[in-house]
Amino acid sequence: MTVLPIAAEFASCAILGAALLVCLRLIRGPGTADRAVALDLLSVMIIAFAGLRALVTGQDAYLDVAISLALCSFLATVALSRYVARRGGGQRMEDRL
């Protein structure tokens, strides 16, 4: 057995554990901007997980899923940032301190 499957499984577990913590931030986030960042981070973690699955299984379908999700995630991030900017929900750093 090579090291690659073991490392990929360890990385998958680490990504899933971090995704659970990000879900907590998504639910408990104090503001809209924090929730938007958490949602973007969660989509990046799902993309990384799909890439790891493609590496381990050798199936190209996971890469198609990752590319499609990356495109949708980018568009959603742009839409959310425009929404937050127009709504005025983004607080300046001086206001938060």
Side-chain angles (χ1 to χ4, degrees):
M1 184 170 200
T2 63
V3 178
L4 182 64
I6 296 170
E9 290 300 322
F10 177 74
S12 296
C13 291
I15 288 173
L16 290 177
L20 289 175
L21 294 174
V22 169
C23 286
L24 285 175
R25 174 53 58 197
L26 186 63
I27 293 169
R28 296 183 53 179
T32 307
D34 295 320
R35 287 188 173 104
V37 170
L39 189 63
D40 190 37
L41 183 59
L42 187 63
S43 65
V44 168
M45 288 181 179
I46 294 171
I47 292 167
F49 186 77
L52 279 172
R53 291 292 104 201
L55 182 68
V56 171
T57 62
Q59 294 183 2
D60 294 337
Y62 288 114
L63 292 178
D64 295 339
V65 169
I67 291 170
S68 301
L69 183 60
L71 178 62
C72 291
S73 173
F74 170 73
L75 294 175
T77 301
V78 170
L80 276 172
S81 64
R82 289 186 63 141
Y83 170 74
V84 169
R86 286 190 180 174
R87 187 173 152 250
Q91 296 177 347
R92 286 182 277 162
M93 186 58 87
E94 297 88 26
D95 297 339
R96 295 181 100 180
L97 296 176

